[in-house]
Amino acid sequence: DSGVTQTPKHLITATGQRVTLRCSPRSGDLSVYWYQQSLDQGLQFLIQYYNGEERAKGNILERFSAQQFPDLHSELNLSSLELGDSALYFCASSSGTGHTDTQYFGPGTRLTVL
Amino acid sequence: GQNIDQPTEMTATEGAIVQINCTYQTSGFNGLFWYQQHAGEAPTFLSYNVLDGLEEKGRFSSFLSRSKGYSYLLLKELQMKDSATYLCAVYDSNYQLIWGAGTKLIIKP
């Protein structure tokens, strides 16, 4: 158990809909990262937040947005969902005290778009 | 561009030793990670190398050569539970973590 929690574990929805994925980082961690992993594909970095501020952006679609709240939990919002958005979405956290922190991953949310 | 190369798939026998290679071409280098990921599960941290040489941690060891842009993960006394995908990731000069596509390791009895 990494200490990172994600809800929900599974999500099934229809095309065109909007969903929110939630992540709570390990106690004391200030950085949160979001990743997308499609079936049998590698990890695609989406976005990083540090202490409430956006720090880095990867290949995140404009239909996707995220934020980190004062209590450091984070939410990833996915809108106008398409079939191709079906994937595992992982959240990871790190202490944020150094540039080369180890990232610890949550169990993921499996999103299925029908 | 930035690139991390790993073999797509490897097969090994229970009880044997296997070496998974990773070569990288990135804009700068600030450390290399190895993670293990079982199918449908989260990646879990295995090792971190920032200086040249070998880091040993139980049955797993990781080696780094910065001049060659090369690392390997060595797994000894293979067990069936070691069947997983092994991910190599490098921090570049902007402290962005660049991920390889992973090596799927299949262990046969």
Side-chain angles (χ1 to χ4, degrees):
Chain A
D1 184 354
S2 67
V4 179
T5 60
Q6 288 186 249
T7 56
K9 194 168 185 176
H10 300 279
L11 199 49
I12 301 174
T13 189
T15 54
Q17 295 297 304
R18 172 189 170 95
V19 297
T20 297
L21 312 183
R22 183 188 168 106
C23 168
S24 292
R26 296 187 316 157
S27 176
D29 282 359
L30 300 177
S31 274
V32 168
Y33 310 77
W34 285 99
Y35 290 89
Q36 179 193 57
Q37 188 174 43
S38 302
L39 190 63
D40 292 334
Q41 298 294 310
L43 283 171
Q44 296 297 319
F45 169 66
L46 296 178
I47 198 163
Q48 177 198 357
Y49 279 83
Y50 171 76
N51 204 21
E53 300 289 327
E54 182 184 304
R55 174 166 270 190
K57 222 170 189 176
N59 300 319
I60 188 166
L61 299 173
E62 284 193 14
R63 300 184 285 110
F64 296 1
S65 64
Q67 54 185 326
Q68 186 179 27
F69 295 87
D71 67 351
L72 301 177
H73 91 272
S74 179
E75 293 181 356
L76 179 67
N77 300 296
L78 315 176
S79 62
S80 303
L81 284 168
E82 302 175 358
L83 295 177
D85 297 328
S86 294
L88 261 172
Y89 289 85
F90 289 108
C91 165
S93 75
S94 71
S95 63
T97 56
H99 287 297
T100 57
D101 298 335
T102 299
Q103 295 182 23
Y104 294 92
F105 284 76
T109 293
R110 183 174 293 282
L111 174 66
T112 302
V113 182
L114 301 175
Chain B
Q2 315 231 66
N3 197 47
I4 294 183
D5 289 315
Q6 305 179 235
T8 303
E9 189 174 295
M10 298 181 70
T11 303
T13 305
E14 190 177 15
I17 299 173
V18 71
Q19 178 175 310
I20 302 174
N21 295 326
C22 169
T23 58
Y24 59 89
Q25 298 95 37
T26 56
S27 57
F29 176 85
N30 282 298
L32 184 145
F33 289 86
W34 284 97
Y35 281 80
Q36 179 192 61
Q37 185 179 25
H38 287 101
E41 298 182 9
T44 56
F45 168 73
L46 289 178
S47 67
Y48 172 64
N49 294 71
V50 66
L51 299 176
D52 291 350
L54 188 68
E55 295 277 344
E56 297 187 76
K57 197 184 283 188
R59 293 189 299 114
F60 292 8
S61 303
S62 57
F63 171 84
L64 174 67
S65 169
R66 288 171 297 169
S67 63
K68 294 182 179 177
Y70 168 71
S71 173
Y72 67 72
L73 181 68
L74 192 71
L75 292 75
K76 302 176 186 174
E77 300 168 18
L78 285 169
Q79 302 175 10
M80 298 303 293
K81 67 178 182 179
D82 297 329
S83 291
T85 296
Y86 292 85
L87 302 165
C88 174
V90 171
Y91 268 117
D92 69 8
S93 58
N94 294 317
Y95 298 100
Q96 295 298 306
L97 194 57
I98 312 301
W99 292 85
T103 298
K104 184 175 183 178
L105 178 63
I106 299 167
I107 310 296
K108 295 187 174 179

